[in-house]
Protein backbone atom coordinates (compact mmCIF):
# COMPACT_ATOMS: atom_id res chain seq x y z
CA UNK A 1 0.00 0.00 0.00
CA UNK A 2 1.27 3.48 -0.86
CA UNK A 3 0.48 6.75 0.90
CA UNK A 4 -0.51 9.20 -1.85
CA UNK A 5 0.84 12.75 -1.66
CA UNK A 6 -1.11 15.98 -2.04
CA UNK A 7 0.28 18.95 -3.99
CA UNK A 8 -0.80 22.06 -2.06
CA UNK A 9 1.47 24.30 -4.19
CA UNK A 10 0.70 22.62 -7.52
CA UNK A 11 3.05 20.85 -9.94
CA UNK A 12 5.94 22.69 -11.58
CA UNK A 13 8.83 22.11 -13.95
CA UNK A 14 9.80 20.28 -17.10
CA UNK A 15 9.67 16.55 -17.77
CA UNK A 16 10.56 14.18 -20.62
CA UNK A 17 8.23 11.19 -20.21
CA UNK A 18 9.37 7.65 -21.18
CA UNK A 19 9.10 6.34 -24.73
CA UNK A 20 5.79 5.50 -26.38
CA UNK A 21 4.58 2.00 -25.55
CA UNK A 22 2.89 1.27 -28.89
CA UNK A 23 5.94 2.42 -30.88
CA UNK A 24 8.38 0.53 -28.60
CA UNK A 25 6.54 -2.78 -29.21
CA UNK A 26 6.40 -2.23 -32.96
CA UNK A 27 10.07 -1.24 -33.30
CA UNK A 28 11.09 -4.56 -31.71
CA UNK A 29 8.77 -6.61 -33.91
CA UNK A 30 9.61 -4.92 -37.22
CA UNK A 31 13.31 -4.98 -36.28
CA UNK A 32 12.99 -8.74 -35.70
CA UNK A 33 11.69 -9.46 -39.23
CA UNK A 34 13.80 -6.84 -41.06
CA UNK A 35 17.13 -7.52 -42.72
CA UNK A 36 20.06 -6.01 -40.79
CA UNK A 37 20.27 -4.14 -37.52
CA UNK A 38 17.60 -1.95 -35.94
CA UNK A 39 18.63 0.51 -33.26
CA UNK A 40 15.90 1.76 -30.94
CA UNK A 41 16.56 4.89 -28.85
CA UNK A 42 14.40 6.00 -25.89
CA UNK A 43 12.73 2.57 -25.85
CA UNK A 44 10.13 2.08 -23.09
CA UNK A 45 11.46 -0.23 -20.36
CA UNK A 46 7.95 -0.91 -18.97
CA UNK A 47 6.95 -4.51 -18.25
CA UNK A 48 4.69 -4.78 -21.32
CA UNK A 49 7.56 -4.01 -23.69
CA UNK A 50 9.91 -6.31 -21.73
CA UNK A 51 7.49 -9.13 -22.52
CA UNK A 52 7.72 -8.38 -26.24
CA UNK A 53 11.52 -8.25 -26.03
CA UNK A 54 11.77 -11.56 -24.15
CA UNK A 55 9.28 -13.35 -26.43
CA UNK A 56 11.32 -12.32 -29.48
CA UNK A 57 14.53 -13.53 -27.81
CA UNK A 58 12.72 -16.79 -27.05
CA UNK A 59 12.11 -17.34 -30.78
CA UNK A 60 15.77 -16.76 -31.54
CA UNK A 61 16.02 -13.05 -32.28
CA UNK A 62 19.30 -11.63 -30.86
CA UNK A 63 18.48 -8.43 -28.96
CA UNK A 64 20.83 -6.34 -26.79
CA UNK A 65 19.61 -3.71 -24.38
CA UNK A 66 21.46 -1.04 -22.39
CA UNK A 67 18.83 0.95 -20.49
CA UNK A 68 16.58 2.59 -23.08
CA UNK A 69 18.91 1.76 -26.02
CA UNK A 70 18.05 -1.48 -27.82
CA UNK A 71 19.73 -3.24 -30.76
CA UNK A 72 17.76 -5.87 -32.69
CA UNK A 73 19.63 -8.17 -35.08
CA UNK A 74 16.90 -8.85 -37.62
CA UNK A 75 16.20 -12.35 -38.91
CA UNK A 76 14.94 -11.03 -42.28
CA UNK A 77 11.68 -12.98 -42.02
CA UNK A 78 9.55 -14.64 -39.32
CA UNK A 79 10.29 -17.87 -41.25
CA UNK A 80 13.82 -17.67 -39.77
CA UNK A 81 12.61 -17.58 -36.15
CA UNK A 82 13.30 -20.78 -34.15
CA UNK A 83 10.80 -22.77 -32.08
CA UNK A 84 10.82 -21.60 -28.43
CA UNK A 85 11.82 -24.06 -25.71
CA UNK A 86 8.87 -23.03 -23.49
CA UNK A 87 5.60 -21.08 -23.59
CA UNK A 88 5.93 -17.42 -24.51
CA UNK A 89 4.98 -15.22 -21.52
CA UNK A 90 2.79 -12.24 -22.43
CA UNK A 91 2.40 -10.98 -18.84
CA UNK A 92 -0.27 -8.26 -18.72
CA UNK A 93 0.30 -7.10 -22.30
CA UNK A 94 -2.59 -7.23 -24.77
CA UNK A 95 -0.46 -5.50 -27.42
CA UNK A 96 2.34 -8.11 -27.16
CA UNK A 97 -0.20 -10.91 -27.45
CA UNK A 98 -2.28 -9.63 -30.31
CA UNK A 99 0.55 -8.30 -32.45
CA UNK A 100 2.63 -11.46 -31.94
CA UNK A 101 -0.33 -13.60 -33.04
CA UNK A 102 0.07 -11.89 -36.41
CA UNK A 103 3.87 -11.96 -36.51
CA UNK A 104 4.25 -15.59 -35.37
CA UNK A 105 1.82 -16.80 -38.04
CA UNK A 106 4.74 -16.48 -40.45
CA UNK A 107 6.92 -19.01 -38.59
CA UNK A 108 7.37 -22.72 -39.30
CA UNK A 109 6.37 -23.88 -35.80
CA UNK A 110 3.64 -23.70 -33.14
CA UNK A 111 4.01 -21.20 -30.27
CA UNK A 112 2.07 -21.27 -27.02
CA UNK A 113 1.15 -17.85 -25.60
CA UNK A 114 0.26 -17.48 -21.90
CA UNK A 115 -0.67 -14.41 -19.85
CA UNK A 116 -1.35 -13.21 -16.32
CA UNK A 117 -4.81 -13.50 -14.74
CA UNK A 118 -6.05 -10.24 -16.23
CA UNK A 119 -4.76 -11.01 -19.75
CA UNK A 120 -6.13 -14.55 -19.66
CA UNK A 121 -9.62 -13.04 -19.22
CA UNK A 122 -9.38 -10.70 -22.24
CA UNK A 123 -11.05 -11.49 -25.59
CA UNK A 124 -8.78 -12.87 -28.31
CA UNK A 125 -11.28 -13.97 -30.97
CA UNK A 126 -11.28 -10.37 -32.21
CA UNK A 127 -7.75 -11.21 -33.52
CA UNK A 128 -8.00 -14.89 -34.34
CA UNK A 129 -11.13 -14.47 -36.51
CA UNK A 130 -9.68 -11.80 -38.85
CA UNK A 131 -6.39 -13.73 -38.97
CA UNK A 132 -8.30 -16.90 -39.90
CA UNK A 133 -9.52 -15.01 -43.00
CA UNK A 134 -5.86 -14.92 -44.09
CA UNK A 135 -5.46 -18.65 -43.41
CA UNK A 136 -3.85 -18.33 -39.97
CA UNK A 137 -4.66 -21.11 -37.47
CA UNK A 138 -4.77 -20.18 -33.79
CA UNK A 139 -6.37 -22.26 -31.02
CA UNK A 140 -7.86 -20.51 -27.97
CA UNK A 141 -9.74 -21.78 -24.93
CA UNK A 142 -13.48 -22.42 -25.29
CA UNK A 143 -14.00 -18.95 -23.80
CA UNK A 144 -11.96 -17.37 -26.63
CA UNK A 145 -9.06 -16.47 -24.32
CA UNK A 146 -5.40 -17.35 -23.69
CA UNK A 147 -3.56 -19.70 -23.55
CA UNK A 148 -3.26 -19.73 -27.34
CA UNK A 149 -1.46 -22.01 -29.77
CA UNK A 150 -0.33 -20.08 -32.84
CA UNK A 151 0.36 -22.47 -35.70
CA UNK A 152 2.87 -21.00 -38.15
CA UNK A 153 2.17 -21.74 -41.81
CA UNK A 154 1.30 -20.23 -45.17
CA UNK A 155 -0.69 -16.98 -45.10
CA UNK A 156 -2.65 -15.46 -47.97
CA UNK A 157 -3.74 -11.86 -48.57
CA UNK A 158 -7.29 -10.57 -48.79
CA UNK A 159 -9.65 -7.90 -47.54
CA UNK A 160 -10.45 -8.05 -43.85
CA UNK A 161 -13.31 -5.96 -42.41
CA UNK A 162 -12.87 -5.34 -38.70
CA UNK A 163 -15.91 -5.07 -36.46
CA UNK A 164 -14.03 -3.69 -33.47
CA UNK A 165 -12.09 -0.43 -33.65
CA UNK A 166 -8.72 -1.86 -32.58
CA UNK A 167 -5.23 -0.93 -33.71
CA UNK A 168 -4.00 -4.13 -32.11
CA UNK A 169 -6.18 -6.22 -34.41
CA UNK A 170 -5.36 -4.11 -37.48
CA UNK A 171 -1.63 -4.43 -36.71
CA UNK A 172 -1.89 -8.21 -36.23
CA UNK A 173 -3.46 -8.52 -39.68
CA UNK A 174 -0.66 -6.52 -41.33
CA UNK A 175 2.08 -8.39 -39.48
CA UNK A 176 0.56 -11.65 -40.74
CA UNK A 177 0.16 -10.13 -44.22
CA UNK A 178 3.91 -9.45 -44.48
CA UNK A 179 4.34 -13.01 -45.74
CA UNK A 180 1.26 -13.15 -48.00
CA UNK A 181 1.80 -13.37 -51.77
CA UNK A 182 -1.10 -10.96 -52.51
CA UNK A 183 -2.12 -7.56 -50.98
CA UNK A 184 -3.57 -7.38 -47.47
CA UNK A 185 -6.37 -4.84 -47.05
CA UNK A 186 -7.95 -3.80 -43.74
CA UNK A 187 -11.22 -1.88 -43.60
CA UNK A 188 -11.78 -0.28 -40.19
CA UNK A 189 -15.05 0.82 -38.57
CA UNK A 190 -13.34 3.90 -37.18
CA UNK A 191 -9.73 5.02 -37.75
CA UNK A 192 -7.38 3.77 -35.01
CA UNK A 193 -3.75 4.54 -34.15
CA UNK A 194 -1.55 4.15 -37.23
CA UNK A 195 1.92 3.56 -35.74
CA UNK A 196 2.23 0.20 -37.53
CA UNK A 197 1.54 1.78 -40.92
CA UNK A 198 4.01 4.66 -40.29
CA UNK A 199 6.75 2.30 -39.12
CA UNK A 200 6.17 -0.24 -41.90
CA UNK A 201 6.65 2.66 -44.36
CA UNK A 202 9.89 3.66 -42.59
CA UNK A 203 11.19 0.06 -42.88
CA UNK A 204 10.45 0.03 -46.63
CA UNK A 205 6.93 -1.41 -47.06
CA UNK A 206 4.40 -0.04 -49.53
CA UNK A 207 1.33 0.63 -47.38
CA UNK A 208 -1.29 3.22 -48.25
CA UNK A 209 -4.31 4.67 -46.48
CA UNK A 210 -7.52 5.89 -48.17
CA UNK A 211 -8.61 9.52 -47.85
CA UNK A 212 -11.24 8.60 -45.23
CA UNK A 213 -8.47 6.74 -43.32
CA UNK A 214 -10.58 3.59 -43.06
CA UNK A 215 -9.09 1.40 -45.81
CA UNK A 216 -5.42 0.49 -45.59
CA UNK A 217 -3.58 -1.59 -48.21
CA UNK A 218 -0.26 -3.41 -47.74
CA UNK A 219 1.48 -4.55 -50.92
CA UNK A 220 2.79 -8.12 -50.64
CA UNK A 221 6.14 -9.36 -49.37
CA UNK A 222 7.90 -6.05 -48.67
CA UNK A 223 11.64 -5.99 -48.18
CA UNK A 224 12.03 -4.60 -44.67
CA UNK A 225 15.41 -3.08 -43.82
CA UNK A 226 16.68 -2.39 -40.29
CA UNK A 227 16.33 1.24 -39.19
CA UNK A 228 17.15 3.64 -36.39
CA UNK A 229 13.92 4.31 -34.52
CA UNK A 230 13.92 7.20 -32.05
CA UNK A 231 10.87 6.66 -29.85
CA UNK A 232 9.00 9.85 -28.90
CA UNK A 233 7.62 10.35 -25.38
CA UNK A 234 4.33 8.55 -24.76
CA UNK A 235 1.37 10.95 -24.85
CA UNK A 236 -0.57 8.40 -22.79
CA UNK A 237 2.05 8.85 -20.02
CA UNK A 238 2.34 12.63 -20.50
CA UNK A 239 -1.46 12.76 -20.15
CA UNK A 240 -1.23 12.03 -16.40
CA UNK A 241 0.74 15.26 -15.91
CA UNK A 242 -1.34 17.25 -18.41
CA UNK A 243 -4.39 16.39 -16.34
CA UNK A 244 -2.57 16.83 -13.02
CA UNK A 245 -1.36 20.33 -13.92
CA UNK A 246 -4.86 21.19 -15.18
CA UNK A 247 -6.77 20.15 -12.05
CA UNK A 248 -4.25 21.05 -9.33
CA UNK A 249 -4.34 24.82 -8.74
CA UNK A 250 -1.17 26.94 -9.20
CA UNK A 251 0.47 24.41 -11.56
CA UNK A 252 2.66 25.04 -14.62
CA UNK A 253 4.32 22.08 -16.35
CA UNK A 254 6.16 21.52 -19.65
CA UNK A 255 6.28 18.00 -21.17
CA UNK A 256 8.96 17.65 -23.83
CA UNK A 257 9.36 15.49 -26.97
CA UNK A 258 5.90 13.92 -26.82
CA UNK A 259 4.34 11.90 -29.65
CA UNK A 260 1.50 13.91 -31.21
CA UNK A 261 0.21 11.39 -33.76
CA UNK A 262 -3.33 12.71 -34.55
CA UNK A 263 -4.79 9.22 -34.01
CA UNK A 264 -3.68 9.53 -30.37
CA UNK A 265 -4.38 13.19 -29.49
CA UNK A 266 -8.00 12.85 -28.37
CA UNK A 267 -6.95 13.88 -24.86
CA UNK A 268 -5.71 17.24 -26.22
CA UNK A 269 -9.08 17.82 -27.90
CA UNK A 270 -10.89 16.87 -24.67
CA UNK A 271 -8.73 19.24 -22.60
CA UNK A 272 -9.34 22.03 -25.11
CA UNK A 273 -13.12 21.51 -25.12
CA UNK A 274 -13.22 21.42 -21.32
CA UNK A 275 -11.44 24.79 -21.17
CA UNK A 276 -7.93 23.66 -20.17
CA UNK A 277 -4.85 25.79 -20.85
CA UNK A 278 -2.51 23.67 -23.01
CA UNK A 279 -0.09 25.12 -25.57
CA UNK A 280 1.37 22.85 -28.26
CA UNK A 281 4.89 23.59 -29.55
CA UNK A 282 5.37 21.37 -32.65
CA UNK A 283 8.85 19.90 -33.32
CA UNK A 284 9.71 19.41 -37.03
CA UNK A 285 9.97 15.66 -37.85
CA UNK A 286 9.20 13.12 -40.56
CA UNK A 287 6.89 10.15 -39.89
CA UNK A 288 5.51 10.38 -36.36
CA UNK A 289 4.66 13.93 -35.16
CA UNK A 290 6.42 15.26 -32.05
CA UNK A 291 5.93 18.34 -29.87
CA UNK A 292 6.27 19.95 -26.45
CA UNK A 293 3.18 20.59 -24.33
CA UNK A 294 2.89 23.45 -21.85
CA UNK A 295 0.01 23.32 -19.38
CA UNK A 296 -1.34 25.55 -16.60
CA UNK A 297 -4.23 24.93 -14.20
CA UNK A 298 -7.80 25.89 -15.16
CA UNK A 299 -11.45 25.58 -14.18
CA UNK A 300 -13.18 23.01 -16.37
CA UNK A 301 -16.59 22.60 -17.97
CA UNK A 302 -18.21 19.19 -18.62
CA UNK A 303 -17.72 17.21 -21.83
CA UNK A 304 -19.76 14.68 -23.82
CA UNK A 305 -17.93 11.96 -25.77
CA UNK A 306 -19.54 9.50 -28.20
CA UNK A 307 -18.29 6.49 -30.22
CA UNK A 308 -16.35 8.37 -32.96
CA UNK A 309 -14.36 10.24 -30.26
CA UNK A 310 -13.26 7.08 -28.44
CA UNK A 311 -10.37 5.44 -30.40
CA UNK A 312 -8.12 8.53 -30.20
CA UNK A 313 -8.57 8.77 -26.41
CA UNK A 314 -9.13 5.10 -25.50
CA UNK A 315 -6.27 4.79 -23.00
CA UNK A 316 -6.91 8.24 -21.49
CA UNK A 317 -10.59 7.67 -20.62
CA UNK A 318 -9.74 7.09 -16.92
CA UNK A 319 -8.18 10.56 -17.00
CA UNK A 320 -11.20 12.02 -18.80
CA UNK A 321 -13.30 10.60 -15.96
CA UNK A 322 -11.03 12.37 -13.46
CA UNK A 323 -11.29 15.67 -15.37
CA UNK A 324 -15.07 15.23 -15.35
CA UNK A 325 -14.96 14.62 -11.58
CA UNK A 326 -13.61 18.17 -11.11
CA UNK A 327 -15.73 19.95 -13.77
CA UNK A 328 -18.76 22.04 -12.98
CA UNK A 329 -21.66 19.81 -14.17
CA UNK A 330 -22.31 16.35 -15.60
CA UNK A 331 -20.09 14.82 -18.31
CA UNK A 332 -20.87 11.69 -20.33
CA UNK A 333 -18.63 9.09 -21.97
CA UNK A 334 -20.66 6.81 -24.28
CA UNK A 335 -19.81 4.37 -27.10
CA UNK A 336 -16.90 3.16 -24.97
CA UNK A 337 -17.82 -0.49 -24.27
CA UNK A 338 -14.18 -1.34 -25.14
CA UNK A 339 -13.32 -0.06 -21.66
CA UNK A 340 -14.88 -3.22 -20.24
CA UNK A 341 -12.20 -5.43 -21.85
CA UNK A 342 -9.06 -3.46 -21.02
CA UNK A 343 -6.63 -4.51 -18.24
CA UNK A 344 -9.68 -4.30 -15.95
CA UNK A 345 -13.34 -3.53 -16.60
CA UNK A 346 -12.51 0.16 -16.47
CA UNK A 347 -16.18 1.25 -16.44
CA UNK A 348 -16.87 -0.71 -13.25
CA UNK A 349 -13.54 0.17 -11.65
CA UNK A 350 -13.90 3.90 -12.39
CA UNK A 351 -17.34 3.93 -10.78
CA UNK A 352 -16.04 2.12 -7.68
CA UNK A 353 -12.99 4.35 -7.24
CA UNK A 354 -14.59 7.74 -8.08
CA UNK A 355 -17.47 7.00 -5.71
CA UNK A 356 -14.88 6.59 -2.94
CA UNK A 357 -14.01 10.25 -3.60
CA UNK A 358 -17.68 11.24 -3.20
CA UNK A 359 -18.22 11.82 -6.93
CA UNK A 360 -21.63 10.83 -8.39
CA UNK A 361 -21.19 8.25 -11.17
CA UNK A 362 -23.82 6.49 -13.31
CA UNK A 363 -22.72 3.32 -15.09
CA UNK A 364 -23.95 2.42 -18.60
CA UNK A 365 -23.15 -0.71 -20.56
CA UNK A 366 -20.98 1.46 -22.83
CA UNK A 367 -19.79 4.25 -20.57
CA UNK A 368 -20.33 6.57 -17.63
CA UNK A 369 -21.98 9.81 -16.54
CA UNK A 370 -19.94 11.74 -13.97
CA UNK A 371 -21.06 14.78 -12.02
CA UNK A 372 -18.06 16.80 -10.95
CA UNK A 373 -17.53 18.82 -7.82
CA UNK A 374 -14.77 21.29 -7.04
CA UNK A 375 -14.10 19.77 -3.59
CA UNK A 376 -14.67 16.06 -3.12
CA UNK A 377 -16.34 14.56 -0.08
CA UNK A 378 -14.17 11.48 0.43
CA UNK A 379 -16.18 8.41 1.53
CA UNK A 380 -13.35 5.87 1.59
CA UNK A 381 -9.68 6.92 1.52
CA UNK A 382 -8.35 3.47 0.51
CA UNK A 383 -8.09 3.61 -3.27
CA UNK A 384 -7.15 0.58 -5.37
CA UNK A 385 -5.56 0.23 -8.84
CA UNK A 386 -7.20 -3.23 -9.14
CA UNK A 387 -3.87 -4.19 -10.79
CA UNK A 388 -4.51 -1.78 -13.68
CA UNK A 389 -1.59 0.57 -14.39
CA UNK A 390 -3.65 3.42 -15.82
CA UNK A 391 -6.20 3.31 -12.98
CA UNK A 392 -3.37 3.39 -10.40
CA UNK A 393 -1.71 6.43 -11.98
CA UNK A 394 -5.02 8.26 -12.41
CA UNK A 395 -5.81 7.77 -8.72
CA UNK A 396 -2.36 9.07 -7.71
CA UNK A 397 -3.15 12.21 -9.76
CA UNK A 398 -6.58 12.51 -8.12
CA UNK A 399 -4.92 12.44 -4.69
CA UNK A 400 -2.85 15.54 -5.53
CA UNK A 401 -5.96 17.71 -5.16
CA UNK A 402 -7.71 15.82 -2.39
CA UNK A 403 -8.01 17.56 0.98
CA UNK A 404 -8.25 14.15 2.66
CA UNK A 405 -5.12 11.93 2.73
CA UNK A 406 -5.55 8.89 0.45
CA UNK A 407 -3.77 5.56 0.00
CA UNK A 408 -3.35 3.27 -3.01
CA UNK A 409 -3.44 -0.54 -3.03
CA UNK A 410 -1.62 -2.46 -5.78
CA UNK A 411 0.48 0.53 -6.77
CA UNK A 412 3.14 -1.70 -8.39
CA UNK A 413 0.85 -2.05 -11.46
CA UNK A 414 2.24 1.28 -12.79
CA UNK A 415 5.43 -0.56 -13.91
CA UNK A 416 3.47 -2.06 -16.82
CA UNK A 417 3.78 1.20 -18.79
CA UNK A 418 5.58 3.75 -16.58
CA UNK A 419 8.10 2.26 -14.11
CA UNK A 420 9.38 5.66 -12.88
CA UNK A 421 5.92 7.26 -12.59
CA UNK A 422 6.08 8.02 -8.86
CA UNK A 423 9.64 9.41 -9.14
CA UNK A 424 8.64 11.72 -12.01
CA UNK A 425 5.53 12.83 -10.14
CA UNK A 426 7.67 13.60 -7.08
CA UNK A 427 10.05 15.67 -9.24
CA UNK A 428 7.18 17.89 -10.45
CA UNK A 429 5.76 18.20 -6.91
CA UNK A 430 9.07 19.39 -5.51
CA UNK A 431 10.15 21.52 -8.45
CA UNK A 432 8.99 24.96 -7.27
C1 LIG B 1 -2.62 -0.32 -28.66
C2 LIG B 1 -3.92 -0.18 -29.07
C3 LIG B 1 -5.03 0.07 -28.15
C4 LIG B 1 -4.56 0.54 -26.79
C5 LIG B 1 -3.40 -0.23 -26.27
C6 LIG B 1 -2.24 -0.19 -27.24
C7 LIG B 1 -1.59 -0.59 -29.67
O1 LIG B 1 -5.77 -1.13 -28.00
O2 LIG B 1 -5.63 0.49 -25.86
O3 LIG B 1 -2.96 0.30 -25.03
O4 LIG B 1 -0.39 -0.42 -29.37
O5 LIG B 1 -1.97 -0.96 -30.79
P1 LIG B 1 -6.93 -1.48 -29.03
O6 LIG B 1 -6.39 -1.20 -30.37
O7 LIG B 1 -7.25 -2.93 -28.86
O8 LIG B 1 -8.06 -0.57 -28.65
Amino acid sequence: MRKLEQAPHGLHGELAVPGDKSISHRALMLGAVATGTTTIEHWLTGEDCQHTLQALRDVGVPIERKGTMVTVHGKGDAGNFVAPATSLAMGNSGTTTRLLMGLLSGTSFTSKLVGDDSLERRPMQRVTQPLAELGVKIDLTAAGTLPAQVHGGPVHGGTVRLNVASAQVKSAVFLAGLNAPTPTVVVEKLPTRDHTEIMLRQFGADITTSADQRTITLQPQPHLTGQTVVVPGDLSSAAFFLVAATIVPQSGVKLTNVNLNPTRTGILRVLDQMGADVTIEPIPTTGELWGNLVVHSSQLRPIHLTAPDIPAVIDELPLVALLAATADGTSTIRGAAELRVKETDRIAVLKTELEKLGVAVTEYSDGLAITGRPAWDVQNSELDSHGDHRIGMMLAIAALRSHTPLTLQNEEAVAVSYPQFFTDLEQLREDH
Side-chain angles (χ1 to χ4, degrees), residues 198-212:
I198 291 173
M199 200 180 291
L200 275 170
R201 237 167 259 138
Q202 185 194 348
F203 276 70
D206 179 351
I207 182 164
T208 47
T209 305
S210 65
D212 69 358

Side-chain angles (χ1 to χ4, degrees), residues 118 339-346 349 385-388 391:
S118 151
L339 282 180
R340 295 216 179 262
V341 291
K342 290 295 178 190
E343 287 80 336
T344 55
D345 175 346
R346 288 184 176 160
V349 166
S385 79
H386 300 252
D388 182 332
I391 298 290

Side-chain angles (χ1 to χ4, degrees), residues 21-22 26 95 98-99 126 165-168 171 193 314-315 338 342 390:
K21 180 158 80 70
S22 294
R26 286 158 172 80
T95 309
R98 295 185 176 129
L99 269 60
R126 55 175 57 203
S166 166
Q168 294 181 349
S171 301
R193 64 187 68 188
I314 183 72
D315 291 337
E338 274 297 297
K342 290 295 178 190
R390 299 203 195 281

Side-chain angles (χ1 to χ4, degrees), residues 161-207:
R161 289 173 195 281
L162 303 184
N163 50 27
V164 276
S166 166
Q168 294 181 349
V169 177
K170 171 178 65 176
S171 301
V173 171
F174 286 126
L175 292 173
L178 288 176
N179 293 311
T182 51
T184 304
V185 182
V186 171
V187 183
E188 291 197 278
K189 259 177 45 166
L190 290 168
T192 62
R193 64 187 68 188
D194 62 354
H195 304 299
T196 303
E197 295 92 307
I198 291 173
M199 200 180 291
L200 275 170
R201 237 167 259 138
Q202 185 194 348
F203 276 70
D206 179 351
I207 182 164

Side-chain angles (χ1 to χ4, degrees), residues 110-185:
T110 295
S111 318
K112 184 174 180 191
L113 275 48
V114 296
D116 71 6
D117 290 346
S118 151
L119 187 61
E120 292 209 349
R121 281 195 296 271
R122 295 178 66 184
M124 294 297 156
Q125 279 162 333
R126 55 175 57 203
V127 202
T128 57
Q129 280 167 356
L131 287 179
E133 294 180 37
L134 303 184
V136 178
K137 292 188 181 50
I138 301 177
D139 303 323
L140 300 172
T141 66
T145 55
L146 293 185
Q149 306 267 356
V150 182
H151 304 288
V155 176
H156 54 76
T159 298
V160 179
R161 289 173 195 281
L162 303 184
N163 50 27
V164 276
S166 166
Q168 294 181 349
V169 177
K170 171 178 65 176
S171 301
V173 171
F174 286 126
L175 292 173
L178 288 176
N179 293 311
T182 51
T184 304
V185 182

